[in-house]
Amino acid sequence: MPTRTPVVLITGASRGLGSGIAIHCAKLGFSVAINYAGNQKAAAATAEECSKHRVDKAQRFIPIQANVNSREERLRLLETTLKEFGRIDALVNNAGIGPRVRADITEMTEESFQEVLGINLQGAFFLTQAVARHWLKGTKKPAIASGFKIIFISSVSAGSVSLNRGEYCISKAGLSMASKLWAARLAGNGIQVYELRPGIMLSDMTRGVKQKYDALLTEGLVPQQRWGTAEDVAQAVGSILSGQFPFSTGAVITVDGGLHLHTF
Ligand code: NDP
């Protein structure tokens, strides 16, 4: 059903930061393609929550299962988005995993390296390539006044060392370069690209290490002295998609309460 309502595709939007981003986008008037890997119930709950916050009855919220680590499934994800919504105006590459086992880099397995880089980096890079190719055909004008947008959700780990999840750090450092590459490639085509770097955020990903980070927060690790939330990231995404950073393509925007500051 083609519509001029702006459409955002968010990967990994069933839970955590992605779900928060989806709900915030609903409040801003976007239709949302809610990608997920396997958790259909959580994706349906995100869609339901988005519906409660819609500001226009033309907005739609559709869960689409696809593993971003599979070429076929990535292409199907884009095709389904275009079929369901008739257009795409923004892509938020949010889907990501940590290693199944946190092991020192002397013990890290190649399987874990491949899995983490496949989802976090290769998946995001080539989904972006597919969406960029679609836009470069030039058949549709953007429904966002300031142009099509791509956002990569990286991490403070793009620049900080964690010896027991090196594959995650490498994937996020690579994602940071992917953001720069796409920003430079697409700037002349009126498409802006941004990297958002969250810090320590409350979600399923950090649930297993919550006590450890609670203690580190008490000791002052994060200057703003609290956990980050999905809403913190969602507000930054919302500002970008609303065109509040029109001359900042390639920017790295931290959402980490000052964690990246080197204080003595
Ligand atoms: P969660 O573990 O809470 O959620 C992960 C999401 O990604 C789920 O929606 C999951 O889908 C989806 N997903 C996982 N694998 C795939 C896949 N192969 N294909 C498609 N979707 C997939 O993570 P967060 O919300 O915490 O993290 C979101 C992003 O933010 C990640 O890129 C993460 O690296 C980054 N980040 C997180 C931080 C944190 O402290 N939490 C800090 C910095 C960055 P399903 O529900 O179906 O499993």
Side-chain angles (χ1 to χ4, degrees):
M1 195 211 346
T3 162
R4 283 289 289 177
T5 302
V7 175
V8 57
L9 166 57
I10 305 169
T11 64
S14 45
R15 293 182 284 123
L17 308 187
S19 176
I21 295 167
I23 294 161
H24 193 76
C25 287
K27 294 177 188 170
L28 296 177
F30 283 79
S31 284
V32 188
I34 299 165
N35 163 247
Y36 66 102
N39 198 333
Q40 189 179 18
K41 209 169 152 194
T46 297
E48 176 68 30
E49 204 57 30
C50 286
S51 299
K52 284 187 201 156
H53 292 283
R54 65 154 58 99
V55 292
D56 184 315
K57 61 179 185 322
Q59 285 174 261
R60 295 162 71 231
F61 311 101
I62 302 177
I64 305 174
Q65 189 283 328
N67 174 6
V68 297
N69 196 13
S70 152
R71 181 172 185 274
E72 290 69 33
E73 295 190 31
R74 276 193 303 272
L75 294 178
R76 175 173 56 71
L77 172 59
L78 177 57
E79 276 164 23
T80 308
T81 302
L82 293 171
K83 191 166 138 246
E84 293 285 356
F85 296 95
R87 57 180 308 110
I88 176 170
D89 297 285
L91 167 66
V92 181
N93 286 299
N94 166 77
I97 60 161
R100 289 173 197 267
V101 178
R102 288 188 176 213
D104 182 80
I105 53 173
T106 57
E107 305 293 334
M108 185 208 296
T109 63
E110 289 201 35
E111 289 73 20
S112 179
F113 186 95
Q114 277 172 355
E115 182 180 36
V116 173
L117 267 83
I119 293 172
N120 294 6
L121 178 55
Q122 191 171 348
F125 184 91
F126 284 101
L127 181 60
T128 299
Q129 185 192 63
V131 172
R133 282 180 179 168
H134 169 73
W135 284 336
L136 292 175
K137 284 189 218 149
T139 51
K140 286 258 191 327
K141 296 257 174 287
I144 302 174
S146 51
F148 297 122
K149 308 269 183 281
I150 296 170
I151 299 174
F152 290 90
I153 306 294
S154 68
S155 166
V156 67
S157 298
S160 298
V161 167
S162 295
L163 290 175
N164 65 354
R165 48 189 191 122
E167 60 276 68
Y168 184 77
C169 298
I170 293 168
S171 74
K172 294 299 185 178
L175 202 58
S176 180
M177 178 50 75
S179 177
K180 290 177 179 53
L181 288 165
W182 284 113
R185 174 61 183 85
L186 299 173
N189 302 97
I191 301 164
Q192 296 96 48
V193 181
Y194 307 82
E195 177 191 348
L196 284 192
R197 266 190 202 187
I200 302 169
M201 318 301 284
L202 210 46
S203 77
D204 289 348
M205 186 179 273
T206 47
R207 217 163 292 283
V209 286
K210 184 168 181 304
Q211 278 187 335
K212 171 187 159 187
Y213 283 119
D214 279 342
L216 290 170
L217 282 167
T218 309
E219 289 165 20
L221 176 68
V222 175
Q224 283 190 244
Q225 301 178 0
R226 66 166 173 84
W227 280 87
T229 64
E231 186 57 23
D232 291 322
V233 176
Q235 285 190 29
V237 170
S239 301
I240 291 169
L241 297 190
S242 308
Q244 304 297 313
F245 291 88
F247 202 50
S248 300
T249 199
V252 179
I253 300 170
T254 55
V255 186
D256 68 358
L259 177 61
H260 68 284
L261 301 169
H262 300 285
T263 51
F264 292 93

